[in-house]
Amino acid sequence: MIEATELTKNYGNVTAVNRVSFSVTEGELFGLLGPNGSGKTTMIRMLTGQTPPTSGSSRVMGLDPANDPIGVRGLVGIIPEQETPPSFLTAEEYLHFVAGIRNLDSVDERCDRWFDLLEFGDKRDVLCKDLSRGTRQKLMFAQAFLHEPRLALIDEPLINLDPIMQRTVKDFLVDYVQDGGTIFISTHILEIAEEICDRIGIIHNGRLLHTGPVDDPVATGRHLESFFLDLVRGDAGA
Amino acid sequence: MPVPDLFFAMMKEEWRMHSTVFGSLGFALFPAVIAIFAFFGALTLPIFADVFPYDMVALLIHALFLLMGVMVGSFGLMGREFMNRRFGQASLIAYASRSLPVSERRIFAAFLVKDTVYYILLYVLPFAAGLTAATPFVGLDPILGLLAFVSLALAFLLGLSAVCFLSTLYARSVALLVGAAAVLAVAALAAYGLGAITVSSLLPPYAFFLSPAPEPLALSLLLILVPAAASVLLVTVDYADRTKRFGNRLDPLAERLRGLDGAHFIAKDALDLLRSEGGAGKVLFSFLLPLALVWICLQVLIRFIPGIDPLVVFAVLLGVISATIYNWLTEFDSFTSYTFLPVEISEVIDAKLKSYALLNLLPLGVLVLAAATSGSAGTFLPALAAFASVSAYTLAVTVYLTGLHPNVMLYHAWVFLRYLLAISPALLLLIFASIVDPAYAALSLLLVAPAAFLLARARTRWQAWEMPKY
């Protein structure tokens, strides 16, 4: 589903992502872990054609995001970390707006499903600017899955959600993968990865330090946290 | 944290915000462009002195700076939404009273001082400097430049403090705002009844410029300081819950527009416009009032310039002013809202152009009304051609130079200069040609070709643009 080869992104003199290669196969829940500023968001932006790589290449569902960003974004679902829905549309209007862009049918049914699952149907007629951050995140979640994509890329999936909703979302992601979908998440919260991911990558200062099954550190008798900290601190000291 | 420290932090923040988008040099040159513009504008004063007496020019400039104060104040108080859309989750010190151990009153006071200093340095000082530099060439006393600096700063502050005061009342209670507006209206009516309303009493800084005496200066300071102090005392961040609920109006609107590509984008533009701060009132103040002023000025002008056709000249200026509709359409939108959806930037621009074309029915109506009421029906067709062509050309220049960000990019000195150079010669030629014969206004149709070229280039030019990281 995702194949990254030597992906590099420079912003001026700063190298945000440095020759990163990895792959994600169908039906996998892959977590890219790293401290703040390690290159996770830039990686998602490159994989979804939101920014072109400085060098290297990638394939997402068979398409090259650098050459066909619209094709990639048409296929996948994306939840960016920072973006918020348009201020002066209601939650329901925003989902209809996204459905219009994606040429979807049965829009009311699709919307109702997400209002029910994420329990924010009572906010459907409220302007997005008046929604709480948590509700906006639910709305961003709904827009990403409205077209039932086979692959979703999510930047910090549980940000601003309360513990009850975090449970709902984690269960949804696990079910989604069990039903054949593929998820790529980036996060700095190790517990999320430990709980739901099949495989992880650890990125620091733009370099991918490790990829492998999430159980690997546990199998060798170590917690993911100490494994992560040793890797990152070792890299920082190198 | 003392107010001076907050002030310096906010000054730094304001500079970095602008220079992040434009580059330090591009933004630093913006005052220079204003100074150059004021300098050359002042050089032309003697040429038009018979038509536009100096005191009328001074009145217009003071009114302009008053309006600028109103705009800066409005942006400062309602700008969080704008900033979020433009830069993602922008976080400014002005909005941080809940997270910093500083009272909202203190932050607001520092914010007002910052806006005063920052925008006087950005707008008023360069304008006065340009005017002063021109005085030896036009036979005016250089001290006039200093006087203009003081009176224009007062006019700017008058607008700023008034809008801050009204916004503070609004934040406290809509009823309070309505009550204050009613009291002001009754007072104005009473003053009008007593014959006490004059231009000088309405705009004391202008009166001070005409006659630098202590009375208008004191009145100006009173009208600035009292509302500003009241704003600081009354400011609150605990806004009443004014959450509004709406049924789905997007789909019915898009359905009506289904013959057009991008109907959902156009419907969204309409809802943005109607539901954003100001709503339809924004149209009244930023569009119809300036047009009414232009029309009145033209009625004066025809007494001095024989052969001028007011409808044609009005149509040309109407075309330029209409292009500001594009600024409204992009005010609360940003391409970052679409980068995670299967949308080309050219699709968004195309939809904005269609929204613009639909909204141009409003100025078209104004033109028809002006033609019908002024008995200028004979020159309606060339006027219509001039309006449509100039509107399309000005829009095309704006889109080419600023993409989806005219409200931000036009502050870039180089962009602003290119904008002026692209528009001014075409307008002047058109106006002079129409003085020779109003029918020559039809020559404006020649602008349609460069407009089409620029729009085509804009679509590809902005496709690859990335917002600077903020």
Side-chain angles (χ1 to χ4, degrees):
Chain A
M1 295 296 269
I2 299 175
E3 193 74 49
T5 309
E6 300 275 301
L7 267 184
T8 301
K9 180 71 184 182
N10 297 329
Y11 292 109
N13 295 327
V14 177
T15 300
V17 173
N18 190 0
R19 302 180 65 182
V20 168
S21 301
F22 69 95
S23 62
V24 178
T25 56
E26 191 162 7
E28 199 169 42
L29 208 165
F30 183 89
L32 186 63
L33 312 179
N36 294 329
S38 56
K40 304 186 297 292
T41 296
T42 301
M43 178 62 72
I44 284 193
R45 284 167 51 79
M46 284 193 286
L47 292 175
T48 53
Q50 296 180 63
T51 189
T54 306
S55 63
S57 63
S58 62
R59 308 286 292 177
V60 174
M61 295 185 74
L63 302 175
D64 179 351
N67 291 328
D68 189 5
I70 302 300
V72 170
R73 283 182 237 152
L75 292 174
V76 307
I78 306 165
I79 305 179
E81 182 192 5
Q82 283 203 330
E83 194 53 47
T84 54
S87 306
F88 299 106
L89 295 185
T90 64
E92 181 177 24
E93 284 171 343
Y94 180 54
L95 292 182
H96 279 254
F97 178 68
V98 173
I101 289 173
R102 293 190 178 278
N103 287 319
L104 303 179
D105 54 16
S106 311
V107 182
D108 286 329
E109 289 79 2
R110 289 173 192 264
C111 293
D112 286 343
R113 183 186 165 216
W114 283 98
F115 284 131
D116 291 344
L117 180 71
L118 300 180
E119 299 170 14
F120 70 118
D122 59 327
K123 305 286 184 197
R124 64 194 305 152
D125 54 357
V126 174
L127 293 184
C128 293
K129 77 181 180 71
D130 294 329
L131 296 174
S132 67
R133 287 188 180 191
T135 310
R136 287 184 198 181
Q137 179 68 358
K138 292 178 188 178
L139 187 56
M140 294 307 286
F141 228 95
Q143 67 77 25
F145 286 93
L146 201 62
H147 60 301
E148 297 169 13
R150 286 169 53 213
L151 168 66
L153 296 98
I154 309 171
D155 201 351
E156 298 295 353
L158 304 184
I159 196 165
N160 296 319
L161 297 178
D162 63 48
I164 299 168
M165 198 44 60
Q166 288 189 16
R167 182 73 267 156
T168 304
V169 166
K170 283 190 272 193
D171 288 345
F172 166 77
L173 294 176
V174 170
D175 289 347
Y176 180 83
V177 168
Q178 281 175 356
D179 290 343
T182 308
I183 301 279
F184 178 102
I185 63 170
S186 83
T187 183
H188 59 264
I189 304 172
L190 304 181
E191 291 78 8
I192 299 175
E194 211 156 22
E195 191 175 345
I196 65 174
C197 287
D198 302 314
R199 225 154 50 85
I200 56 166
I202 295 177
I203 189 169
H204 182 237
N205 286 340
R207 295 187 304 116
L208 192 63
L209 305 180
H210 167 85
T211 54
V214 72
D215 298 335
D216 264 3
V218 181
T220 56
R222 302 178 67 190
H223 287 296
L224 179 58
E225 184 184 36
S226 62
F227 179 73
F228 175 87
L229 289 175
D230 286 350
L231 263 182
V232 169
R233 284 176 179 159
D235 182 59
Chain B
M1 195 176 197
V3 170
D5 290 354
L6 274 172
F7 165 76
F8 285 114
M10 285 178 171
M11 286 289 280
K12 257 190 230 169
E13 183 183 63
E14 191 88 14
W15 167 262
R16 285 176 186 164
M17 186 177 74
H18 283 116
S19 60
T20 299
V21 179
F22 313 130
S24 297
L25 184 63
F27 186 57
L29 284 176
F30 185 72
V33 172
I34 291 184
I36 291 167
F37 194 67
F39 175 76
F40 285 107
L43 289 185
T44 65
L45 283 177
I47 302 170
F48 298 106
D50 289 340
V51 181
F52 282 116
Y54 287 177
D55 55 350
M56 185 190 280
V57 174
L59 174 63
L60 289 176
I61 293 171
H62 280 81
L64 184 73
F65 274 83
L66 175 82
L67 192 66
M68 221 177 264
V70 169
M71 288 164 66
V72 167
S74 311
F75 176 80
L77 293 164
M78 300 189 285
R80 187 210 296 253
E81 197 52 50
F82 176 88
M83 297 299 297
N84 279 346
R85 297 248 58 81
R86 189 70 61 230
F87 301 114
Q89 295 297 307
S91 177
L92 302 180
I93 297 169
Y95 309 133
S97 67
R98 283 179 175 148
S99 54
L100 292 177
V102 187
S103 74
E104 59 209 49
R105 196 168 288 163
R106 192 169 283 215
I107 285 185
F108 187 65
F111 174 77
L112 273 183
V113 177
K114 181 270 295 175
D115 262 9
T116 300
V117 174
Y118 192 84
Y119 286 98
I120 283 178
L121 289 177
L122 192 68
Y123 295 134
V124 185
L125 185 64
F127 189 90
L131 180 66
T132 309
T135 49
F137 303 102
V138 293
L140 293 173
D141 188 343
I143 203 75
L144 206 67
L146 183 64
L147 186 61
F149 173 69
V150 175
S151 64
L152 291 176
L154 290 172
F156 173 82
L157 292 175
L158 195 64
L160 181 72
S161 67
V163 81
C164 283
F165 176 63
L166 294 175
S167 307
T168 308
L169 289 186
Y170 175 74
R172 286 270 168 187
S173 144
V174 176
L176 200 59
L177 177 67
V178 172
V183 169
L184 284 175
V186 169
L189 279 174
Y192 181 75
L194 294 170
I197 288 193
T198 61
V199 171
S200 298
S201 66
L202 282 176
L203 196 52
Y206 169 63
F208 177 69
F209 178 78
L210 293 182
S211 167
E215 292 83 4
L217 178 64
L219 184 60
S220 300
L221 289 173
L222 189 75
L223 290 175
I224 292 165
L225 292 175
V226 170
S231 307
V232 173
L233 286 174
L234 293 172
V235 73
T236 177
V237 291
D238 290 322
Y239 303 117
D241 182 15
R242 298 198 186 107
T243 300
K244 289 183 182 168
R245 291 174 180 267
F246 298 93
N248 182 356
R249 294 182 193 164
L250 184 86
D251 280 349
L253 258 177
E255 182 60 25
R256 282 190 201 172
L257 298 164
R258 68 178 181 279
L260 299 170
D261 278 345
H264 274 85
F265 290 98
I266 302 169
K268 177 185 169 298
D269 284 343
L271 294 177
D272 277 349
L273 208 55
L274 288 171
R275 292 173 180 173
S276 58
E277 286 88 351
K282 200 163 41 187
V283 177
L284 182 72
F285 285 106
S286 68
F287 191 69
L288 296 181
L289 282 183
L291 285 180
L293 191 66
V294 167
W295 182 253
I296 291 166
C297 287
L298 284 173
Q299 300 311 309
V300 176
L301 206 61
I302 53 176
R303 294 180 204 158
F304 299 97
I305 305 179
I308 193 170
D309 186 286
L311 187 69
V312 169
V313 178
F314 180 68
V316 171
L317 299 175
L318 181 65
V320 177
I321 295 172
S322 295
T324 58
I325 290 174
Y326 184 70
N327 294 42
W328 305 343
L329 289 170
T330 51
E331 191 175 8
F332 293 104
D333 219 344
S334 166
F335 189 64
T336 56
S337 307
Y338 304 108
T339 52
F340 51 92
L341 294 169
V343 178
E344 299 264 11
I345 196 163
S346 54
E347 282 179 68
V348 182
I349 289 178
D350 285 349
K352 299 280 178 210
L353 299 183
K354 285 168 193 153
S355 297
Y356 179 83
L358 289 173
L359 284 169
N360 255 242
L361 292 174
L362 175 68
L364 178 62
V366 171
L367 185 67
V368 171
L369 189 69
T373 55
S374 65
S376 313
T379 51
F380 178 69
L381 284 180
L384 181 63
F387 157 66
S389 311
V390 171
S391 173
Y393 178 70
T394 312
L395 170 75
V397 171
T398 308
V399 177
Y400 178 76
L401 290 176
T402 68
L404 287 172
H405 306 92
N407 297 293
V408 177
M409 298 291 286
L410 279 177
Y411 281 94
H412 189 294
W414 177 231
V415 172
F416 186 59
L417 192 63
R418 288 169 78 194
Y419 176 83
L420 287 179
L421 290 176
I423 304 230
S424 310
L427 292 190
L428 289 175
L429 277 175
L430 205 51
I431 289 173
F432 284 128
S434 75
I435 291 174
V436 175
D437 185 337
Y440 286 162
L443 287 173
S444 60
L445 291 171
L446 292 172
L447 291 173
V448 173
F453 173 75
L454 285 172
L455 285 176
R457 289 289 300 272
R459 294 171 86 252
T460 48
R461 182 176 190 226
W462 290 98
Q463 191 68 44
W465 190 77
E466 284 188 81
M467 191 77 190
K469 287 183 84 68
Y470 183 77

